[in-house]
Amino acid sequence: MRRGAGLAAATGVAAAATVVGSRLVGRALVGRTEARLCVTTNPPPYRASDRAHALHETLWVADLHADSLLWGRDLLERSERGQVDVPRLVEGNVALQVMAATTKSPRHLNLELNDDRSDDVVLLALALGWPPATWRRLLPRALHLAARADDLAARSDGRFRVIRSRDDLAAYEAARSLDPRLTAGLLAIEGAHALDGDPAAVEVVADAGFRMMSPSHFFDTAFGGSAHGIEKGGLTAAGREMVRRMEARGMLVDVAHASAATIDDILAVAVRPVVASHTGFRGVADNSRNLTDAQTRGIAETGGLLGVGFWPTACGGDDAAAIARAIRYAVDVAGVEHVGLGSDFDGAVPVPFDASGLVVLTDALIDAGMSDDEIAKVMGGNAQRLLADVLP
Ligand SMILES: [Zn+2]
């Protein structure tokens, strides 16, 4: 072997080792951040009444929002971090978990006022070794996260699948009625900044399998204002085009995090059901992120769904009883057909249990005086019905 070639090979090995080493360090840093931000107040195992266990086993449970794709964990493995992975979804009898792509998140994010100049997700992308295309642009980040979900499904031995169509849903329901240890995901985008400013990119994300999207996340976008933005304005012309294109492709328009003006504009132009994937109610916890009763009723009137949040500034407390109270409030305002779950699992907020502990919520809903039929609707029956209706 020539001396130079040997040296080059050795340098290559060293470089590869550095990349692998920095990737390991990056993963460890992201893992530490996830553990710090995504707190489960009561870790497993969970206790519930016999009646709750018996009822929970019969439910088709669906949750409208989790950020589990973001953190780089292998979701096939049960983790002590965060709240969602395939084993915990199965243990919690979760039939469907909406998995959101968060593509940009400002530093020092807060409920009141954020601009779009900082970007914490790029740090995550670098630390986790996402493809270079994701470093500057946001659409490739969404597509990367969709690919992660597909990769998870491909490696899962059939235990996890991504639902994209009515036919997918029907086939999955049939399979799951024979084997309840199956689970599934539905792809969503948290904030239309993921379209890199181009409403026509709705076609790209729809082709990738995304079936839900909100106009904004923590900052105002080219499409609409955020409840946490600077201007907090309404839907823009590009935002109206986005809504039209989404509805034509069977995507659900999600008003979670939207400014009040944008929510009102969406309710005025939408001709299909609108959702608030993870939300709270001002009548329960009065802050700018939460919905007024009029907005809550407006969403119900579209035939849509309100995903009740599990974190304190949404449900007004830090236990399952508080979530059950918020659910009862939503049912009173919107009607029982229009209420579902919007945990925000793995979303950098504290929650009282992880996905394996959803029976605790079933128990709290029994204690709150809801009937088995009402509980079945709220825990996922309504989401199942809505998806069967709107999916392409
Ligand atoms: Zn969110």
Side-chain angles (χ1 to χ4, degrees):
M1 193 198 287
R2 281 187 303 120
R3 216 184 154 136
L7 201 67
T11 312
V13 169
T18 308
V19 169
V20 170
S22 65
R23 186 106 0 121
L24 286 174
V25 171
R27 282 192 175 280
L29 281 174
V30 172
R32 259 209 324 253
T33 306
E34 185 192 11
R36 181 165 53 82
L37 295 178
C38 302
V39 173
T40 310
T41 323
N42 307 291
Y46 298 102
R47 283 168 191 280
S49 67
D50 290 347
R51 184 175 159 205
H53 277 289
L55 173 60
H56 194 78
E57 264 177 42
T58 69
L59 303 176
W60 203 89
V61 178
D63 176 49
L64 296 177
H65 190 87
D67 292 304
S68 320
L69 293 172
L70 186 63
W71 301 102
R73 268 191 286 128
D74 181 356
L75 299 178
L76 279 186
E77 316 241 317
R78 192 191 175 99
S79 176
E80 305 211 326
R81 290 207 311 267
Q83 286 96 32
V84 168
D85 43 53
V86 168
R88 283 185 284 179
L89 290 174
V90 169
E91 199 175 315
N93 191 29
V94 178
L96 187 92
Q97 177 65 63
V98 175
M99 295 181 165
T102 298
T103 61
K104 181 170 174 176
S105 188
R107 177 144 296 202
H108 310 303
L109 59 84
N110 61 83
L111 279 184
E112 304 306 330
L113 209 64
N114 302 267
D115 63 38
D116 69 348
R117 286 178 297 181
S118 58
D119 176 11
D120 269 356
V121 173
V122 74
L123 302 178
L124 224 98
L126 291 169
L128 295 175
W130 293 8
T134 67
W135 297 350
R136 283 167 179 276
R137 292 178 55 236
L138 306 186
L139 183 58
R141 294 184 191 174
L143 299 178
H144 173 68
L145 292 172
R148 288 206 62 215
D150 284 330
D151 173 65
L152 176 66
R155 292 184 297 112
S156 75
D157 244 340
R159 284 186 297 153
F160 171 84
R161 60 180 88 183
V162 179
I163 304 295
R164 290 178 154 84
S165 67
R166 236 178 265 197
D167 286 350
D168 285 352
L169 183 64
Y172 171 58
E173 284 169 351
R176 197 170 189 274
S177 67
L178 302 174
D179 181 1
R181 296 183 64 78
L182 303 179
T183 191
L186 182 98
L187 294 172
I189 290 178
E190 189 158 30
H193 43 273
L195 304 180
D196 283 327
D198 179 7
V202 165
E203 311 304 329
V204 179
V205 297
D207 288 344
F210 287 102
R211 294 294 177 260
M212 185 187 291
M213 181 164 64
S214 55
S216 53
H217 190 195
F218 269 94
F219 49 84
D220 303 325
T221 72
F223 303 94
S226 163
H228 329 286
I230 305 289
E231 304 281 341
K232 302 179 173 61
L235 211 54
T236 64
R240 285 167 209 275
E241 183 182 344
M242 177 197 78
V243 169
R244 271 199 308 277
R245 286 179 182 269
M246 286 178 67
E247 290 189 327
R249 293 297 304 266
M251 290 180 73
L252 283 161
V253 179
D254 178 8
V255 300
H257 292 284
S259 65
T262 290
I263 294 174
D264 291 345
D265 287 349
I266 287 174
L267 291 177
V269 300
V271 295
R272 307 274 287 157
V274 169
V275 298
S277 64
H278 55 306
T279 193
F281 307 93
R282 297 205 189 182
V284 173
D286 192 8
N287 62 65
S288 57
R289 163 79 167 83
N290 292 344
L291 298 174
T292 65
D293 287 356
Q295 291 166 337
T296 302
R297 276 190 287 270
I299 291 165
E301 279 161 17
T302 68
L305 200 52
L306 300 134
V308 178
F310 292 6
W311 68 99
T313 57
C315 70
D318 60 1
D319 58 8
I323 303 168
R325 280 195 300 273
I327 286 174
R328 282 215 62 145
Y329 183 87
V331 166
D332 287 345
V333 176
V336 71
E337 311 287 330
H338 301 289
V339 180
L341 310 182
S343 67
D344 208 5
F345 281 154
D346 295 335
V349 287
V351 290
F353 45 81
D354 69 20
S356 73
L358 278 158
V359 66
V360 172
L361 181 56
T362 298
D363 214 359
L365 291 171
I366 293 172
D367 285 346
M370 287 179 68
S371 71
D372 289 6
D373 181 54
E374 290 173 319
I375 293 171
K377 287 177 176 167
V378 165
M379 289 294 288
N382 289 334
Q384 184 180 22
R385 187 194 67 235
L386 176 65
L387 290 173
D389 181 40
V390 300
L391 284 178

